[in-house]
Amino acid sequence: MPHDTPLIATIVGGIGLAFILGTIASRLRIPPLVGYLVAGVMVGPHTPGFVADQSLAPELAEMGVILLMFGVGLHFSLKDLLSVRAIAVPGAVVQIAIATVMGSALAWALGWTIESGFVFGLALSTASTVVLLRALQERRLIDTEKGRIAVGWLIVEDLAMVLALVLLPALATMLNASDGAPGVPSDASIWGVLGITLLKVVAFVAFMLIVGRRVIPWVLHYVAHTGSRELFRLAVFAIALGVAFGAAKLFGVSLALGAFFAGMILSESELSHRAAEETLPLRDAFAVLFFVSVGMMFDPMSVVNEPWPVLATLLIIMIGKSVGAFFIVLAFGYPISTALAISASLAQIGEFSFILAGLGVGLGLLPEQGQDLILAGAILSILLNPVAFGAIGWLRPRLEKNALFSSMAGTKSVAQASPVAPEVGQQEENRVTEKTGHTILVGYGRVGSLVGDSLKSGNLPYLVIEDSEKTVFALRDQGIETIAGNAAKADILRSANLAEAQRIIVAIPNAFEAGQIVQQAKAANAIVDVIARAHSDAEVQYLTDLGATSVIMGEREIARAIIDRVMADTQPVLTPTEEAEEPVIGAFPNRPEGLAAEPHTEENPPLGREAGAA
């Protein structure tokens, strides 16, 4: 049996090495994606040793882009997208123009032709979908005003690059042709290509809004009623990949845009949360392969051979584009914090840049040196993108104190319900709650909201820490004191006055994030009562080891409640003599071992009181 399996070798080599180097990077307190990129360099053709298949890796990476954009669409709605159109459309167009001009200027300085400069500048103007979304997700900004603007901006860039890819061959013929050369397309034919492309995009959007909005939710609801989790998972992947592929083949739009619209249509269904959970594992795995494929294309010697052109390219990507985006956002009346977040998000380039560069070289528009500079600029900007986000905390207070920038900045907010409320993720400086002896409730989702309702009905003082902008505004409208941000950060817990709190309830479902919060809480107040939730015995042990006072495992409590109900329905009728006997608390002899009820003490409170009395 032949064992020439390039697909398996590429997946195993890419993911295996990415895991090892990503783990090392994490231990060194460096973002794991740095390890993924280095893994790509190591399995690429420019370094000795194993070389992964260069034709398969980009296709596997495209799967990650599709699933990632589908997941973003699940958390987005058409209303969210339209709410940022006033800034996303003109902002993206102006920023693309600025980056193209700067790239053309560098190309002119290097002695290239005008058409080479145009393609080079265009390739430097568009941000990477994967990098931008991963950065927003890691910082919990996807559901915030900043996240909506960044994603809307990204969609406009995506559409602009689709148009560029369609028009570039026609423009290349015209730009490269010598005087009087045959076959030069007329202005009418170019406008015709542009018109057809726009019609295809409009047709795709109309098709998704009219047909997809009805068919996609119906299919998922039908599959959900079969009761098969396997079929449901298969349906989600079939919809995400099928719509993306169909959008590219039938309508000429990008795979990423097709997947985004599929997710956005599905977001209107109550099954969207479950669909997001089902796609998460494969989405993360293929997203890692994207970074590996980027690393494979990078030649480390290009930095040594052409240091100054590489540095100039990097400055255009990270400084030129970012400064342009910063002033554009300020010009639309948004605060400095929003302008900085958008600038950092766009301070990198990615997949569309590689496609444009490859097409440009193939059409004879771009020299191979230009492609090398684009690849070098991409990998270096991706490596340094976390630094750009880290610089926000240092730049923001200094810019806000500057009279010129503060006069330019506004207070506009997409959340019209509370236009001047602090944004999620924005530190509410120098403000500490006046509450003492209170409960800090971290997370206001399905569990947290029930806990909060019980605390409120019991007149127990409490406040909420939440990172979802919509939830923050809703809670503040109800008069509930809410701190916007990530509870794992010491400054957020300090604002909640953890030192004088009676307890902290960590109601978020992710045990790893909950563990970080438990550690921070215990470090700030060693005697505070910490109550957390878990989904397995391993998670219970993990949170307990980190200092949690009590960990509630949902599955165990569900089992207890079911058995309590069953045993209550099957209680024997007692005689008067038996009724007079002292009852034994929780004595259900028929309970399965491990679920026998114990006396309700502080260590084992009643089922109905665990959330409310916490």
Side-chain angles (χ1 to χ4, degrees):
M1 177 181 176
H3 291 284
D4 184 20
T5 52
L7 176 62
I8 296 176
T10 300
I11 293 176
V12 173
I15 290 183
L17 200 55
F19 164 69
I20 295 171
L21 296 179
T23 304
I24 294 173
S26 180
R27 291 285 296 176
L28 297 175
R29 299 187 180 277
I30 301 172
L33 70 85
V34 174
Y36 308 155
L37 290 167
V38 175
V41 174
M42 293 179 66
V43 298
H46 304 291
T47 54
F50 169 75
V51 177
D53 192 303
Q54 288 184 282
S55 61
L56 289 174
E59 291 192 35
L60 293 172
E62 199 67 58
M63 291 277 288
V65 176
I66 292 171
L67 295 176
L68 194 67
M69 286 301 286
F70 179 71
V72 171
L74 288 173
H75 294 92
F76 232 69
S77 68
L78 187 60
K79 181 180 177 183
D80 290 333
L81 191 59
L82 293 176
S83 69
V84 298
R85 68 186 183 279
I87 180 175
V89 176
V93 171
V94 173
Q95 182 253 310
I96 288 173
I98 291 172
T100 302
V101 169
M102 289 189 293
S104 299
L106 176 58
W108 175 81
L110 293 172
W112 300 352
T113 61
I114 294 175
E115 55 267 28
S116 296
F118 175 76
V119 175
F120 182 69
L122 203 59
L124 300 184
S125 68
T126 178
S128 165
T129 299
V130 179
V131 177
L132 188 148
L133 295 179
R134 284 288 291 266
L136 294 178
Q137 287 172 344
E138 287 173 1
R139 291 160 182 83
R140 301 173 175 273
L141 294 174
I142 280 288
D143 294 325
T144 69
E145 174 187 65
K146 301 169 186 176
R148 286 195 291 272
I149 294 174
V151 172
W153 199 299
L154 187 70
I155 295 300
V156 176
E157 285 190 348
D158 211 356
L159 288 170
M161 291 307 111
V162 169
L163 293 175
L165 292 172
V166 172
L167 293 173
L168 208 55
L171 291 173
T173 307
M174 183 173 62
L175 291 171
N176 278 335
S178 58
D179 293 338
V184 178
S186 65
D187 290 344
S189 67
I190 292 174
W191 284 109
V193 172
L194 179 60
I196 291 172
T197 303
L198 289 173
L199 281 175
K200 285 183 177 180
V201 172
V202 171
F204 168 69
V205 174
F207 178 80
M208 291 301 295
L209 292 178
I210 297 171
V211 179
R213 193 176 239 172
R214 291 171 173 81
V215 174
I216 291 175
W218 177 82
V219 169
L220 271 191
H221 278 270
Y222 175 81
V223 174
H225 283 118
T226 66
S228 171
R229 183 172 183 177
E230 179 182 339
L231 281 178
F232 183 84
R233 186 183 292 118
L234 192 61
V236 171
F237 285 119
I239 289 171
L241 299 175
V243 171
F245 185 76
K249 290 297 180 183
L250 300 178
F251 297 96
V253 304
S254 67
L255 293 166
L257 188 65
F260 174 80
F261 267 90
M264 192 172 67
I265 295 301
L266 186 55
S267 71
E268 299 177 6
S269 166
E270 60 268 23
L271 294 171
S272 61
H273 180 76
R274 183 178 168 192
E277 291 178 344
E278 296 294 346
T279 60
L280 186 61
L282 272 183
R283 186 181 74 195
D284 288 345
F286 281 108
V288 168
L289 285 175
F290 165 80
F291 292 106
V292 173
S293 70
V294 172
M296 287 174 61
M297 293 185 286
F298 179 59
D299 182 3
M301 292 305 296
S302 64
V303 179
V304 179
N305 297 331
E306 300 177 303
W308 297 115
V310 168
L311 179 60
T313 303
L314 184 63
L315 289 175
I316 291 174
I317 297 169
M318 298 204 66
I319 305 298
K321 278 176 57 180
S322 297
V323 170
F326 177 80
F327 283 107
I328 291 169
V329 176
L330 287 187
F332 278 86
Y334 286 87
I336 287 175
S337 61
T338 301
L340 286 172
I342 301 303
S343 301
S345 300
L346 300 172
Q348 38 79 20
I349 59 174
E351 54 273 18
F352 264 119
S353 303
F354 311 144
I355 296 171
L356 275 172
L359 183 61
V361 171
L363 294 171
L365 288 177
L366 186 69
E368 290 191 4
Q369 181 191 14
Q371 187 175 33
D372 292 339
L373 290 178
I374 289 169
L375 291 173
I379 195 166
L380 291 174
S381 64
I382 291 172
L383 284 170
L384 294 173
N385 193 243
V387 178
F389 272 98
I392 292 177
W394 182 83
L395 282 172
R396 185 178 149 235
R398 288 163 175 78
L399 293 178
E400 287 178 344
K401 290 176 184 177
N402 185 287
L404 175 63
F405 290 108
S406 4
S407 63
M408 295 175 61
T411 57
K412 184 183 288 188
S413 172
V414 175
Q416 299 297 325
S418 182
V420 295
E423 295 177 61
V424 173
Q426 174 180 323
Q427 182 181 347
E428 300 172 37
E429 297 181 55
N430 302 322
R431 181 183 177 277
V432 178
T433 181
E434 297 178 357
K435 283 185 168 63
T436 58
H438 57 295
T439 295
I440 301 171
L441 176 58
V442 180
Y444 208 80
R446 289 178 296 176
V447 173
S449 58
L450 294 174
V451 175
D453 289 343
S454 297
L455 292 171
K456 186 175 182 179
S457 62
N459 293 320
L460 295 174
Y462 76 102
L463 60 81
V464 177
I465 298 177
E466 175 60 54
D467 61 6
S468 169
E469 187 179 54
K470 293 179 182 178
T471 306
V472 169
F473 288 138
L475 289 171
R476 286 174 176 168
D477 286 343
Q478 296 172 33
I480 298 173
E481 185 174 353
T482 308
I483 297 173
N486 185 349
K489 294 184 178 179
D491 56 338
I492 297 295
L493 291 177
R494 188 160 46 249
S495 297
N497 196 14
L498 179 63
E500 298 186 58
Q502 182 177 352
R503 67 179 64 83
I504 177 170
I505 301 174
V506 186
I508 61 174
N510 188 299
F512 179 74
E513 294 179 19
Q516 293 178 307
I517 296 169
V518 171
Q519 278 186 307
Q520 289 285 351
K522 281 298 185 179
N525 184 349
I527 62 171
V528 70
D529 187 23
V530 180
I531 302 173
R533 57 180 287 202
H535 294 287
S536 67
D537 291 326
E539 290 181 359
V540 171
Q541 189 61 49
Y542 168 69
L543 294 171
T544 303
D545 291 343
L546 290 175
T549 314
S550 177
V551 182
I552 312 298
M553 190 169 86
E555 287 76 2
R556 182 178 290 124
E557 299 310 312
I558 292 171
R560 284 182 178 176
I562 291 173
I563 291 174
D564 281 349
R565 176 61 185 271
V566 170
M567 295 306 175
D569 290 343
T570 58
Q571 283 295 309
V573 178
L574 302 178
T575 64
T577 304
E578 291 172 324
E579 287 177 351
E581 296 179 357
E582 184 70 23
V584 178
I585 298 176
F588 293 125
N590 295 324
R591 279 182 188 251
E593 186 179 353
L595 289 174
E598 300 170 1
H600 294 313
T601 62
E602 282 196 3
E603 289 74 22
N604 184 42
L607 287 172
R609 220 178 58 209
E610 280 183 326

